[in-house]
Amino acid sequence: MDRADHGSVLFIGNATTLIRYNGFTLLTDPNFLHRGERARLGHGLRSRRLTDPALEIEDLPPLDAVVLSHLYGDHWDDVTRHGLDRATPVVTTPHAAHRLRRQGFEHAVGLKTWEEYSLRNARGALTITSVPARHAYGAVEALLPPVMGSVLEFRSEGRIDLRLHISGDTVLDRRLREIAERFPDLDVGIVHLGGTKLLGAFQISMDGRQGADWVDLVGPERVLPVHHDDYTVFSSPLADFLDHMRQTGNADRVIRLARGDTYTLPVRPAARRPG
């Protein structure tokens, strides 16, 4: 691939990004609520959005797929439900896929952990692999929808051009170690942070310290932090993560994006492109 043809990640807000690479266009965890509107978190709980998305749903380009970590109000909202083309494949957990098909998204695909979904185009192939994630510790986990992380592997001419990992909403768990064992050479990691707390007490996403530990555990070369300042349920600002990344000696891995910013994705040099 020519350097001029690099793909990109556009940060829309919360955990919503637009990923373009090798001719594929993907949307992650779509959340298009506006400032002051409330996301439904289940069990009668809601959280007020503090920001506006950088892009409106009607301004999205044609999509090859949506990658959805779980079915939750700040990752799949009513704007998405009513505004997204229902012919779009949604790659997600079996729990979410079942409910999305009932909403009319007939091409929703439910992946169990380590299962794959593949796409092809004229320039190459994309494989999306579901990887472990855990939304909470203890009994609280049973009250939340199942969640997945994902690894996106882009290939052309039989070679790997990019491996990108999306953490999903997760807390640190020993099962995450297997991600690094199966994918020891991740180029980019999109990490969901925020230290989300339900009822101000029950943590259901990584805070800054856990996020830095996640980087050490999973090992992406570059890290894009998201999901940290858009809702009132977040307790750990981006500054916490940046501070812990400095303490662990990994500050140079961080790509800090404001809403609306775009990061140019790398292409592996030939020496790092196994088939």
Short mmCIF file of all heavy atoms in Angstrom, two decimals, residues 71-101:
data_model
loop_
_atom_site.label_atom_id
_atom_site.label_comp_id
_atom_site.label_asym_id
_atom_site.label_seq_id
_atom_site.Cartn_x
_atom_site.Cartn_y
_atom_site.Cartn_z
N LEU A 71 -24.80 -3.93 23.74
CA LEU A 71 -26.03 -3.17 23.55
C LEU A 71 -26.33 -2.40 24.83
O LEU A 71 -26.87 -2.95 25.80
CB LEU A 71 -27.18 -4.12 23.22
CG LEU A 71 -28.42 -3.49 22.60
CD1 LEU A 71 -28.08 -2.84 21.26
CD2 LEU A 71 -29.51 -4.53 22.40
N TYR A 72 -25.93 -1.12 24.82
CA TYR A 72 -26.05 -0.28 26.01
C TYR A 72 -26.32 1.14 25.54
O TYR A 72 -25.91 1.53 24.43
CB TYR A 72 -24.74 -0.36 26.80
CG TYR A 72 -24.88 -0.14 28.29
CD1 TYR A 72 -25.80 -0.85 29.05
CD2 TYR A 72 -24.05 0.76 28.95
CE1 TYR A 72 -25.90 -0.67 30.42
CE2 TYR A 72 -24.13 0.95 30.32
CZ TYR A 72 -25.07 0.23 31.04
OH TYR A 72 -25.17 0.41 32.41
N GLY A 73 -26.97 1.95 26.36
CA GLY A 73 -27.50 3.21 25.91
C GLY A 73 -26.50 4.23 25.40
O GLY A 73 -26.87 5.11 24.62
N ASP A 74 -25.24 4.15 25.84
CA ASP A 74 -24.25 5.10 25.33
C ASP A 74 -23.39 4.50 24.22
O ASP A 74 -22.39 5.07 23.82
CB ASP A 74 -23.37 5.65 26.47
CG ASP A 74 -22.49 4.60 27.10
OD1 ASP A 74 -22.93 3.44 27.20
OD2 ASP A 74 -21.36 4.93 27.52
N HIS A 75 -23.81 3.33 23.73
CA HIS A 75 -23.12 2.67 22.61
C HIS A 75 -24.07 2.38 21.44
O HIS A 75 -23.62 2.18 20.32
CB HIS A 75 -22.47 1.37 23.08
CG HIS A 75 -21.38 1.57 24.05
ND1 HIS A 75 -20.04 1.48 23.73
CD2 HIS A 75 -21.41 1.90 25.38
CE1 HIS A 75 -19.30 1.74 24.81
NE2 HIS A 75 -20.12 1.99 25.81
N TRP A 76 -25.35 2.34 21.75
CA TRP A 76 -26.39 2.13 20.73
C TRP A 76 -27.62 2.84 21.25
O TRP A 76 -28.31 2.37 22.14
CB TRP A 76 -26.65 0.65 20.53
CG TRP A 76 -27.68 0.35 19.47
CD1 TRP A 76 -29.04 0.32 19.61
CD2 TRP A 76 -27.43 0.01 18.10
NE1 TRP A 76 -29.65 0.02 18.43
CE2 TRP A 76 -28.68 -0.19 17.48
CE3 TRP A 76 -26.26 -0.12 17.34
CZ2 TRP A 76 -28.81 -0.54 16.14
CZ3 TRP A 76 -26.39 -0.47 16.00
CH2 TRP A 76 -27.65 -0.67 15.41
N ASP A 77 -27.90 4.03 20.71
CA ASP A 77 -28.98 4.86 21.25
C ASP A 77 -30.17 4.89 20.29
O ASP A 77 -30.15 4.26 19.23
CB ASP A 77 -28.47 6.27 21.55
CG ASP A 77 -27.82 6.94 20.34
OD1 ASP A 77 -28.19 6.60 19.19
OD2 ASP A 77 -26.94 7.80 20.53
N ASP A 78 -31.20 5.63 20.67
CA ASP A 78 -32.40 5.70 19.83
C ASP A 78 -32.13 6.39 18.52
O ASP A 78 -32.77 6.09 17.50
CB ASP A 78 -33.51 6.42 20.59
CG ASP A 78 -34.10 5.59 21.73
OD1 ASP A 78 -33.89 4.36 21.72
OD2 ASP A 78 -34.75 6.16 22.61
N VAL A 79 -31.20 7.34 18.49
CA VAL A 79 -30.84 8.00 17.23
C VAL A 79 -30.28 6.97 16.25
O VAL A 79 -30.64 6.95 15.06
CB VAL A 79 -29.81 9.13 17.47
CG1 VAL A 79 -29.40 9.77 16.15
CG2 VAL A 79 -30.37 10.18 18.42
N THR A 80 -29.42 6.11 16.75
CA THR A 80 -28.85 5.05 15.91
C THR A 80 -29.92 4.07 15.46
O THR A 80 -29.99 3.69 14.28
CB THR A 80 -27.76 4.30 16.70
OG1 THR A 80 -26.72 5.22 17.05
CG2 THR A 80 -27.18 3.17 15.88
N ARG A 81 -30.74 3.66 16.39
CA ARG A 81 -31.79 2.68 16.08
C ARG A 81 -32.69 3.15 14.95
O ARG A 81 -33.07 2.38 14.08
CB ARG A 81 -32.61 2.39 17.34
CG ARG A 81 -33.76 1.42 17.13
CD ARG A 81 -34.48 1.13 18.43
NE ARG A 81 -35.63 0.27 18.21
CZ ARG A 81 -36.40 -0.20 19.19
NH1 ARG A 81 -36.14 0.12 20.44
NH2 ARG A 81 -37.44 -0.98 18.92
N HIS A 82 -33.03 4.43 14.95
CA HIS A 82 -33.95 4.95 13.95
C HIS A 82 -33.24 5.50 12.71
O HIS A 82 -33.85 5.54 11.63
CB HIS A 82 -34.82 6.04 14.56
CG HIS A 82 -35.72 5.55 15.65
ND1 HIS A 82 -36.75 4.65 15.44
CD2 HIS A 82 -35.72 5.80 16.99
CE1 HIS A 82 -37.36 4.39 16.58
NE2 HIS A 82 -36.76 5.07 17.54
N GLY A 83 -31.97 5.88 12.84
CA GLY A 83 -31.30 6.56 11.74
C GLY A 83 -30.34 5.71 10.92
O GLY A 83 -29.99 6.09 9.80
N LEU A 84 -29.91 4.58 11.46
CA LEU A 84 -28.93 3.75 10.75
C LEU A 84 -29.63 2.88 9.71
O LEU A 84 -30.71 2.33 9.97
CB LEU A 84 -28.18 2.88 11.75
CG LEU A 84 -26.93 2.15 11.23
CD1 LEU A 84 -25.82 3.16 10.90
CD2 LEU A 84 -26.42 1.16 12.26
N ASP A 85 -29.01 2.73 8.55
CA ASP A 85 -29.52 1.84 7.50
C ASP A 85 -29.60 0.41 8.06
O ASP A 85 -28.59 -0.15 8.50
CB ASP A 85 -28.57 1.89 6.30
CG ASP A 85 -29.05 1.05 5.13
OD1 ASP A 85 -30.01 0.25 5.28
OD2 ASP A 85 -28.45 1.16 4.04
N ARG A 86 -30.78 -0.17 8.05
CA ARG A 86 -30.97 -1.48 8.67
C ARG A 86 -30.39 -2.62 7.87
O ARG A 86 -30.36 -3.76 8.35
CB ARG A 86 -32.46 -1.70 8.95
CG ARG A 86 -32.99 -0.66 9.93
CD ARG A 86 -34.30 -1.01 10.55
NE ARG A 86 -34.63 -0.01 11.56
CZ ARG A 86 -35.57 -0.19 12.48
NH1 ARG A 86 -36.25 -1.31 12.53
NH2 ARG A 86 -35.81 0.77 13.35
N ALA A 87 -29.89 -2.33 6.67
CA ALA A 87 -29.19 -3.36 5.91
C ALA A 87 -27.73 -3.46 6.29
O ALA A 87 -27.02 -4.36 5.83
CB ALA A 87 -29.32 -3.07 4.42
N THR A 88 -27.25 -2.56 7.16
CA THR A 88 -25.84 -2.56 7.55
C THR A 88 -25.55 -3.75 8.47
O THR A 88 -26.24 -3.95 9.46
CB THR A 88 -25.50 -1.26 8.30
OG1 THR A 88 -25.86 -0.14 7.50
CG2 THR A 88 -24.02 -1.21 8.63
N PRO A 89 -24.52 -4.54 8.19
CA PRO A 89 -24.13 -5.58 9.13
C PRO A 89 -23.65 -4.97 10.45
O PRO A 89 -22.92 -3.98 10.45
CB PRO A 89 -22.97 -6.30 8.42
CG PRO A 89 -23.13 -5.95 6.97
CD PRO A 89 -23.72 -4.58 6.95
N VAL A 90 -24.11 -5.53 11.55
CA VAL A 90 -23.67 -5.11 12.88
C VAL A 90 -23.00 -6.31 13.53
O VAL A 90 -23.65 -7.33 13.79
CB VAL A 90 -24.84 -4.62 13.75
CG1 VAL A 90 -24.32 -4.13 15.10
CG2 VAL A 90 -25.62 -3.51 13.05
N VAL A 91 -21.70 -6.20 13.77
CA VAL A 91 -20.91 -7.30 14.34
C VAL A 91 -20.82 -7.07 15.84
O VAL A 91 -20.27 -6.06 16.29
CB VAL A 91 -19.52 -7.37 13.70
CG1 VAL A 91 -18.74 -8.57 14.24
CG2 VAL A 91 -19.64 -7.45 12.18
N THR A 92 -21.35 -8.00 16.63
CA THR A 92 -21.52 -7.75 18.05
C THR A 92 -21.60 -9.06 18.82
O THR A 92 -21.26 -10.12 18.29
CB THR A 92 -22.77 -6.86 18.25
OG1 THR A 92 -22.87 -6.49 19.61
CG2 THR A 92 -24.04 -7.56 17.80
N THR A 93 -22.08 -9.00 20.04
CA THR A 93 -22.25 -10.21 20.85
C THR A 93 -23.52 -10.94 20.42
O THR A 93 -24.45 -10.34 19.86
CB THR A 93 -22.38 -9.85 22.33
OG1 THR A 93 -23.59 -9.10 22.53
CG2 THR A 93 -21.19 -9.01 22.81
N PRO A 94 -23.63 -12.24 20.71
CA PRO A 94 -24.88 -12.95 20.41
C PRO A 94 -26.09 -12.33 21.11
O PRO A 94 -27.18 -12.26 20.53
CB PRO A 94 -24.60 -14.37 20.91
CG PRO A 94 -23.11 -14.52 20.77
CD PRO A 94 -22.56 -13.17 21.14
N HIS A 95 -25.91 -11.87 22.33
CA HIS A 95 -26.99 -11.22 23.08
C HIS A 95 -27.50 -10.00 22.32
O HIS A 95 -28.72 -9.82 22.13
CB HIS A 95 -26.47 -10.82 24.46
CG HIS A 95 -27.36 -9.89 25.23
ND1 HIS A 95 -27.31 -8.52 25.09
CD2 HIS A 95 -28.32 -10.14 26.15
CE1 HIS A 95 -28.19 -7.96 25.89
NE2 HIS A 95 -28.82 -8.91 26.55
N ALA A 96 -26.58 -9.13 21.89
CA ALA A 96 -26.99 -7.92 21.18
C ALA A 96 -27.56 -8.24 19.81
O ALA A 96 -28.55 -7.63 19.38
CB ALA A 96 -25.79 -6.97 21.06
N ALA A 97 -26.95 -9.19 19.10
CA ALA A 97 -27.42 -9.51 17.75
C ALA A 97 -28.86 -10.00 17.77
O ALA A 97 -29.67 -9.65 16.90
CB ALA A 97 -26.51 -10.57 17.12
N HIS A 98 -29.20 -10.81 18.75
CA HIS A 98 -30.58 -11.32 18.87
C HIS A 98 -31.56 -10.17 19.02
O HIS A 98 -32.61 -10.13 18.35
CB HIS A 98 -30.67 -12.25 20.08
CG HIS A 98 -32.06 -12.70 20.40
ND1 HIS A 98 -32.74 -13.60 19.60
CD2 HIS A 98 -32.90 -12.35 21.41
CE1 HIS A 98 -33.95 -13.80 20.11
NE2 HIS A 98 -34.08 -13.06 21.21
N ARG A 99 -31.24 -9.20 19.85
CA ARG A 99 -32.14 -8.07 20.08
C ARG A 99 -32.16 -7.10 18.89
O ARG A 99 -33.20 -6.54 18.57
CB ARG A 99 -31.73 -7.35 21.38
CG ARG A 99 -32.19 -8.12 22.61
CD ARG A 99 -31.37 -7.83 23.85
NE ARG A 99 -31.91 -8.57 24.98
CZ ARG A 99 -31.70 -9.88 25.17
NH1 ARG A 99 -30.98 -10.57 24.30
NH2 ARG A 99 -32.23 -10.48 26.23
N LEU A 100 -31.04 -6.95 18.22
CA LEU A 100 -31.00 -6.07 17.06
C LEU A 100 -31.81 -6.64 15.89
O LEU A 100 -32.47 -5.89 15.16
CB LEU A 100 -29.56 -5.82 16.63
CG LEU A 100 -28.73 -4.97 17.58
CD1 LEU A 100 -27.28 -4.91 17.11
CD2 LEU A 100 -29.30 -3.56 17.70
N ARG A 101 -31.76 -7.95 15.73
CA ARG A 101 -32.58 -8.55 14.67
C ARG A 101 -34.07 -8.31 14.93
O ARG A 101 -34.85 -8.10 14.00
CB ARG A 101 -32.26 -10.03 14.54
CG ARG A 101 -30.90 -10.30 13.86
CD ARG A 101 -30.72 -11.75 13.48
NE ARG A 101 -30.57 -12.60 14.63
CZ ARG A 101 -29.40 -12.94 15.17
NH1 ARG A 101 -28.26 -12.47 14.65
NH2 ARG A 101 -29.34 -13.74 16.22
#
